Amino acid sequence: MKKLNKILVLYVLLSVLTVDNSYSQVSAESNGYNPLSLRQVHESYLMWKKTLWRRVDLKEKQNKPFFARNREISKIIIEAVERGVLIPYNSDSVNDSNVMAREEFIENIQQVDEEIEEEEEFGFDLDDPFAGFEEDDPFVEEVEEVEIGPIFIPKREFSIFEIKEDLYFDRIHSRIYFDIQSITMYLPGDSFYNPAGFEKPIASFRFIDLYNLFKSMNRDAIWYNENNIAQHKNLGDAFLLRLFKGIIVKIANADDIRVSELYARSRKEGIMASFKVEQDLMEWEANLWEY
């Protein structure tokens, strides 16, 4: 009888383990780990967490190694999407329901012709408003129309990036980590190719995808060390080492507003507020070890 009970208990345990294992395989994202993180930390280990957005201007001196001539990070990303080895997304949520079509991405990096848009809106050629009457003129010579292909914006023009990252405290290892989730590429508002006049988002990318891309092309995807060209670094490692400089433009909040919107009286106050947020986080980290 005791032997039979042991067999039944063993059978029940095996059944539970089998169910749990099959469930974990079906629902990989519900096992407590963030699929966007390079450093896999279980959510039960997180004592404290914030999500930050940083604006990185690659034309700034500290960020120029990411933007070396003919090795620009924007060039690497655009060419990877064109080859079909990198998936673009519509926003920094970068989930499966937010995938951007490759054709839409190609359209986003093309130059906008304002005259064509205005002609389509008004219905006639702005340079020749009487062009519609030429069909009735028998003396008008027929001119062969030459189709002009799309004009692409130079890859070096995409010099603004926004980094979305999680800042959390791992209570098991007693450490604070910065965990980059996604990177969004922008066309600057002062670019000659941007008639809108404000920063235009082009596409977002999962950082884990970018990291794997950079590692796969180690010779080309480099952080250019102009002080010692024998010690160039891979772009993926440069991000993990936090060799970039970016100001905090947003912290996750209920109203989903940016730091600059809290201090909208002037651009200067908005920038100073960003530095204040950075200093507050550093002070919080320093005070953490005093308890």
Side-chain angles (χ1 to χ4, degrees), residues 192-207:
F192 171 79
Y193 300 91
N194 187 3
F198 56 85
E199 293 179 358
K200 175 186 175 183
I202 303 302
S204 298
F205 306 91
R206 303 196 322 167
F207 177 69

PDB file of all heavy atoms in Angstrom, residues 192-207:
ATOM      1  N   PHE A 192      18.712  70.581 -43.438  1.00  0.00           N
ATOM      2  CA  PHE A 192      18.266  71.132 -44.725  1.00  0.00           C
ATOM      3  C   PHE A 192      17.180  70.264 -45.347  1.00  0.00           C
ATOM      4  O   PHE A 192      16.336  70.747 -46.101  1.00  0.00           O
ATOM      5  CB  PHE A 192      19.470  71.243 -45.672  1.00  0.00           C
ATOM      6  CG  PHE A 192      19.108  71.599 -47.083  1.00  0.00           C
ATOM      7  CD1 PHE A 192      18.815  72.916 -47.430  1.00  0.00           C
ATOM      8  CD2 PHE A 192      19.048  70.624 -48.070  1.00  0.00           C
ATOM      9  CE1 PHE A 192      18.476  73.246 -48.738  1.00  0.00           C
ATOM     10  CE2 PHE A 192      18.709  70.941 -49.377  1.00  0.00           C
ATOM     11  CZ  PHE A 192      18.425  72.265 -49.712  1.00  0.00           C
ATOM     12  N   TYR A 193      17.189  68.979 -45.021  1.00  0.00           N
ATOM     13  CA  TYR A 193      16.261  68.025 -45.622  1.00  0.00           C
ATOM     14  C   TYR A 193      14.984  67.855 -44.802  1.00  0.00           C
ATOM     15  O   TYR A 193      14.191  66.966 -45.078  1.00  0.00           O
ATOM     16  CB  TYR A 193      16.948  66.670 -45.783  1.00  0.00           C
ATOM     17  CG  TYR A 193      18.167  66.726 -46.662  1.00  0.00           C
ATOM     18  CD1 TYR A 193      19.433  66.954 -46.116  1.00  0.00           C
ATOM     19  CD2 TYR A 193      18.070  66.580 -48.042  1.00  0.00           C
ATOM     20  CE1 TYR A 193      20.563  67.018 -46.917  1.00  0.00           C
ATOM     21  CE2 TYR A 193      19.191  66.638 -48.848  1.00  0.00           C
ATOM     22  CZ  TYR A 193      20.429  66.865 -48.282  1.00  0.00           C
ATOM     23  OH  TYR A 193      21.543  66.942 -49.090  1.00  0.00           O
ATOM     24  N   ASN A 194      14.808  68.695 -43.789  1.00  0.00           N
ATOM     25  CA  ASN A 194      13.627  68.601 -42.939  1.00  0.00           C
ATOM     26  C   ASN A 194      12.863  69.926 -42.960  1.00  0.00           C
ATOM     27  O   ASN A 194      13.099  70.797 -42.117  1.00  0.00           O
ATOM     28  CB  ASN A 194      14.038  68.247 -41.501  1.00  0.00           C
ATOM     29  CG  ASN A 194      12.843  67.968 -40.606  1.00  0.00           C
ATOM     30  OD1 ASN A 194      11.692  67.971 -41.049  1.00  0.00           O
ATOM     31  ND2 ASN A 194      13.103  67.744 -39.337  1.00  0.00           N
ATOM     32  N   PRO A 195      11.949  70.106 -43.914  1.00  0.00           N
ATOM     33  CA  PRO A 195      11.206  71.371 -44.003  1.00  0.00           C
ATOM     34  C   PRO A 195      10.242  71.592 -42.841  1.00  0.00           C
ATOM     35  O   PRO A 195       9.798  72.716 -42.609  1.00  0.00           O
ATOM     36  CB  PRO A 195      10.445  71.236 -45.326  1.00  0.00           C
ATOM     37  CG  PRO A 195      10.309  69.765 -45.545  1.00  0.00           C
ATOM     38  CD  PRO A 195      11.545  69.153 -44.965  1.00  0.00           C
ATOM     39  N   ALA A 196       9.925  70.533 -42.096  1.00  0.00           N
ATOM     40  CA  ALA A 196       8.967  70.663 -40.990  1.00  0.00           C
ATOM     41  C   ALA A 196       9.528  71.534 -39.869  1.00  0.00           C
ATOM     42  O   ALA A 196       8.778  72.217 -39.166  1.00  0.00           O
ATOM     43  CB  ALA A 196       8.583  69.291 -40.456  1.00  0.00           C
ATOM     44  N   GLY A 197      10.844  71.506 -39.673  1.00  0.00           N
ATOM     45  CA  GLY A 197      11.459  72.352 -38.662  1.00  0.00           C
ATOM     46  C   GLY A 197      11.514  71.756 -37.274  1.00  0.00           C
ATOM     47  O   GLY A 197      12.017  72.397 -36.343  1.00  0.00           O
ATOM     48  N   PHE A 198      11.004  70.545 -37.074  1.00  0.00           N
ATOM     49  CA  PHE A 198      11.097  69.878 -35.772  1.00  0.00           C
ATOM     50  C   PHE A 198      11.669  68.481 -35.990  1.00  0.00           C
ATOM     51  O   PHE A 198      11.655  67.954 -37.097  1.00  0.00           O
ATOM     52  CB  PHE A 198       9.729  69.789 -35.085  1.00  0.00           C
ATOM     53  CG  PHE A 198       8.671  69.106 -35.913  1.00  0.00           C
ATOM     54  CD1 PHE A 198       8.539  67.719 -35.918  1.00  0.00           C
ATOM     55  CD2 PHE A 198       7.800  69.850 -36.700  1.00  0.00           C
ATOM     56  CE1 PHE A 198       7.574  67.088 -36.684  1.00  0.00           C
ATOM     57  CE2 PHE A 198       6.827  69.230 -37.468  1.00  0.00           C
ATOM     58  CZ  PHE A 198       6.713  67.848 -37.463  1.00  0.00           C
ATOM     59  N   GLU A 199      12.208  67.898 -34.925  1.00  0.00           N
ATOM     60  CA  GLU A 199      12.848  66.594 -35.044  1.00  0.00           C
ATOM     61  C   GLU A 199      11.840  65.535 -35.494  1.00  0.00           C
ATOM     62  O   GLU A 199      10.815  65.338 -34.864  1.00  0.00           O
ATOM     63  CB  GLU A 199      13.493  66.202 -33.713  1.00  0.00           C
ATOM     64  CG  GLU A 199      14.665  67.098 -33.340  1.00  0.00           C
ATOM     65  CD  GLU A 199      15.291  66.726 -32.018  1.00  0.00           C
ATOM     66  OE1 GLU A 199      14.777  65.790 -31.365  1.00  0.00           O
ATOM     67  OE2 GLU A 199      16.291  67.356 -31.626  1.00  0.00           O
ATOM     68  N   LYS A 200      12.175  64.878 -36.571  1.00  0.00           N
ATOM     69  CA  LYS A 200      11.262  63.895 -37.174  1.00  0.00           C
ATOM     70  C   LYS A 200      11.712  62.478 -36.817  1.00  0.00           C
ATOM     71  O   LYS A 200      12.821  62.078 -37.162  1.00  0.00           O
ATOM     72  CB  LYS A 200      11.252  64.063 -38.697  1.00  0.00           C
ATOM     73  CG  LYS A 200      10.428  63.022 -39.432  1.00  0.00           C
ATOM     74  CD  LYS A 200      10.582  63.172 -40.934  1.00  0.00           C
ATOM     75  CE  LYS A 200       9.845  62.059 -41.680  1.00  0.00           C
ATOM     76  NZ  LYS A 200      10.051  62.146 -43.141  1.00  0.00           N
ATOM     77  N   PRO A 201      10.875  61.710 -36.118  1.00  0.00           N
ATOM     78  CA  PRO A 201      11.244  60.322 -35.815  1.00  0.00           C
ATOM     79  C   PRO A 201      11.207  59.463 -37.081  1.00  0.00           C
ATOM     80  O   PRO A 201      10.247  59.520 -37.855  1.00  0.00           O
ATOM     81  CB  PRO A 201      10.181  59.883 -34.805  1.00  0.00           C
ATOM     82  CG  PRO A 201       9.008  60.783 -35.071  1.00  0.00           C
ATOM     83  CD  PRO A 201       9.564  62.086 -35.557  1.00  0.00           C
ATOM     84  N   ILE A 202      12.250  58.694 -37.298  1.00  0.00           N
ATOM     85  CA  ILE A 202      12.339  57.841 -38.486  1.00  0.00           C
ATOM     86  C   ILE A 202      11.879  56.422 -38.164  1.00  0.00           C
ATOM     87  O   ILE A 202      10.987  55.886 -38.804  1.00  0.00           O
ATOM     88  CB  ILE A 202      13.784  57.816 -39.026  1.00  0.00           C
ATOM     89  CG1 ILE A 202      14.263  59.230 -39.325  1.00  0.00           C
ATOM     90  CG2 ILE A 202      13.864  56.946 -40.283  1.00  0.00           C
ATOM     91  CD1 ILE A 202      13.417  59.990 -40.326  1.00  0.00           C
ATOM     92  N   ALA A 203      12.479  55.820 -37.147  1.00  0.00           N
ATOM     93  CA  ALA A 203      12.102  54.462 -36.735  1.00  0.00           C
ATOM     94  C   ALA A 203      12.778  54.149 -35.407  1.00  0.00           C
ATOM     95  O   ALA A 203      13.754  54.794 -35.014  1.00  0.00           O
ATOM     96  CB  ALA A 203      12.501  53.438 -37.791  1.00  0.00           C
ATOM     97  N   SER A 204      12.227  53.158 -34.721  1.00  0.00           N
ATOM     98  CA  SER A 204      12.814  52.670 -33.469  1.00  0.00           C
ATOM     99  C   SER A 204      13.327  51.261 -33.679  1.00  0.00           C
ATOM    100  O   SER A 204      12.853  50.534 -34.567  1.00  0.00           O
ATOM    101  CB  SER A 204      11.775  52.692 -32.340  1.00  0.00           C
ATOM    102  OG  SER A 204      11.326  54.003 -32.081  1.00  0.00           O
ATOM    103  N   PHE A 205      14.288  50.862 -32.849  1.00  0.00           N
ATOM    104  CA  PHE A 205      14.908  49.547 -32.977  1.00  0.00           C
ATOM    105  C   PHE A 205      15.144  48.952 -31.595  1.00  0.00           C
ATOM    106  O   PHE A 205      15.424  49.678 -30.637  1.00  0.00           O
ATOM    107  CB  PHE A 205      16.245  49.648 -33.724  1.00  0.00           C
ATOM    108  CG  PHE A 205      16.153  50.334 -35.050  1.00  0.00           C
ATOM    109  CD1 PHE A 205      16.350  51.705 -35.145  1.00  0.00           C
ATOM    110  CD2 PHE A 205      15.841  49.629 -36.193  1.00  0.00           C
ATOM    111  CE1 PHE A 205      16.250  52.356 -36.356  1.00  0.00           C
ATOM    112  CE2 PHE A 205      15.736  50.271 -37.413  1.00  0.00           C
ATOM    113  CZ  PHE A 205      15.941  51.636 -37.498  1.00  0.00           C
ATOM    114  N   ARG A 206      14.997  47.646 -31.503  1.00  0.00           N
ATOM    115  CA  ARG A 206      15.311  46.966 -30.253  1.00  0.00           C
ATOM    116  C   ARG A 206      16.822  46.970 -30.063  1.00  0.00           C
ATOM    117  O   ARG A 206      17.569  46.621 -30.982  1.00  0.00           O
ATOM    118  CB  ARG A 206      14.790  45.523 -30.277  1.00  0.00           C
ATOM    119  CG  ARG A 206      13.310  45.396 -30.522  1.00  0.00           C
ATOM    120  CD  ARG A 206      12.768  44.034 -30.154  1.00  0.00           C
ATOM    121  NE  ARG A 206      13.669  42.918 -30.475  1.00  0.00           N
ATOM    122  CZ  ARG A 206      13.505  41.682 -30.019  1.00  0.00           C
ATOM    123  NH1 ARG A 206      12.500  41.407 -29.235  1.00  0.00           N
ATOM    124  NH2 ARG A 206      14.342  40.731 -30.371  1.00  0.00           N
ATOM    125  N   PHE A 207      17.265  47.348 -28.878  1.00  0.00           N
ATOM    126  CA  PHE A 207      18.706  47.409 -28.647  1.00  0.00           C
ATOM    127  C   PHE A 207      19.347  46.035 -28.750  1.00  0.00           C
ATOM    128  O   PHE A 207      20.481  45.905 -29.229  1.00  0.00           O
ATOM    129  CB  PHE A 207      19.009  48.025 -27.274  1.00  0.00           C
ATOM    130  CG  PHE A 207      20.473  48.037 -26.957  1.00  0.00           C
ATOM    131  CD1 PHE A 207      21.343  48.861 -27.654  1.00  0.00           C
ATOM    132  CD2 PHE A 207      20.997  47.189 -25.980  1.00  0.00           C
ATOM    133  CE1 PHE A 207      22.709  48.859 -27.380  1.00  0.00           C
ATOM    134  CE2 PHE A 207      22.353  47.183 -25.701  1.00  0.00           C
ATOM    135  CZ  PHE A 207      23.208  48.027 -26.403  1.00  0.00           C
TER     136      PHE A 207
END
